[in-house]
Amino acid sequence: MNASAWNMLLEGAWTTVWISAVSIAIGVVAGLVIALIRLARIPIIDQLLVLYVSVARATPLVTLALFIFLSAPDLGLDLNRSVAGILALTLNTTAFNAEIWRSAFRNFSREQSEAAMATGMTPWVTFRRIMLPQMVITSLPGLVNEMSFLIKGSPAIAVIGIVDLTRVTNRISAVTYEPLPPILVAGALYMAIIGCLVWLQRLAERRANRLAM
């Protein structure tokens, strides 16, 4: 491969990274919010959130990306490809993250929260100082696993014209008629991205363990 191919691969990798990172950041926070709302069991809202989670988890990313991008003009929305791709990835990962957070909430020891309240802590302080650090620790493996799936599933957004790492690989292969080198490089880049994610998980776990002490 020549320098131009390498440059294209790096640009495609950067596109994959920043779109996935934005979707992950929004999805983790939004999933936490949805989990909290569902635990409150607010009538109608809870049923709507259950429906959203079920539909988003069952819908393939390719279908979701196409639906958002093609239906936006009919709704009077002018979405560019990047925004549509981020929205599709975010809607998908938020649903999975919400279930991961909800499971952590349901498995949290009620005795700990009752003990914290007995010492005079407010519900917010109990949540921030006692519950959240421990739930982050227990949820991190599931959250990072979902992040990995999202990154590996991100090529689905190429269907709406986003030139990500996988699409760049296909373009180079079509021009050079040598598919193996760009595929191997793309695989190595995906492994490096996931490796960085696992490394960040370890740092976050250490930080959360210090907060929980």
Side-chain angles (χ1 to χ4, degrees):
M1 295 189 302
N2 56 26
S4 177
W6 280 99
N7 187 53
M8 290 173 63
L9 284 167
L10 292 176
E11 288 179 356
W14 169 244
T15 300
T16 295
V17 168
W18 81 261
I19 288 180
S20 298
V22 172
S23 302
I24 287 170
I26 298 173
V28 169
V29 177
L32 176 59
V33 172
I34 289 175
L36 289 171
I37 295 174
R38 288 201 59 193
L39 288 173
R41 296 188 178 277
I42 303 172
I44 301 177
I45 294 179
D46 184 57
Q47 284 75 16
L48 291 174
L49 289 177
V50 170
L51 178 63
Y52 154 67
V53 170
S54 300
V55 172
R57 293 173 70 185
T59 304
L61 262 174
V62 172
T63 305
L64 186 58
L66 280 172
F67 173 77
I68 291 173
F69 184 67
L70 297 177
S71 64
D74 294 333
L75 299 174
L77 300 175
D78 184 19
L79 296 181
N80 62 40
R81 289 179 172 82
S82 296
V83 174
I86 290 171
L87 186 56
L89 294 176
T90 300
L91 289 174
N92 177 270
T93 193
T94 297
F96 288 96
N97 289 334
E99 291 302 290
I100 294 171
W101 283 118
R102 193 167 70 93
S103 176
F105 276 113
R106 292 170 65 91
N107 294 328
F108 185 79
S109 173
R110 183 176 297 179
E111 288 76 12
Q112 290 192 54
S113 57
E114 290 176 349
M117 299 289 286
T119 61
M121 288 187 179
T122 63
W124 165 246
V125 174
T126 300
F127 172 75
R128 183 172 60 88
R129 299 290 299 275
I130 306 298
M131 296 179 67
L132 186 59
Q134 295 185 54
M135 287 188 299
V136 168
I137 295 173
T138 58
S139 298
L140 262 179
L143 291 173
V144 172
N145 189 49
E146 167 56 23
M147 294 174 193
S148 300
F149 277 119
L150 183 74
I151 293 172
K152 289 183 287 186
S154 62
I157 61 177
V159 73
I160 60 175
I162 295 177
V163 185
D164 71 324
L165 180 55
T166 299
R167 184 159 187 173
V168 166
T169 302
N170 293 335
R171 287 185 173 183
I172 295 173
S173 301
V175 172
T176 62
Y177 298 102
E178 295 180 355
L180 190 57
I183 288 174
L184 291 175
V185 173
L189 289 172
Y190 275 115
M191 290 177 63
I193 295 169
I194 302 298
C196 290
L197 195 60
V198 174
W199 177 71
L200 290 174
Q201 174 191 353
R202 293 173 183 168
L203 291 181
E205 285 178 339
R206 292 173 188 169
R207 174 64 175 170
N209 281 322
R210 286 197 294 267
L211 290 174
M213 293 178 61

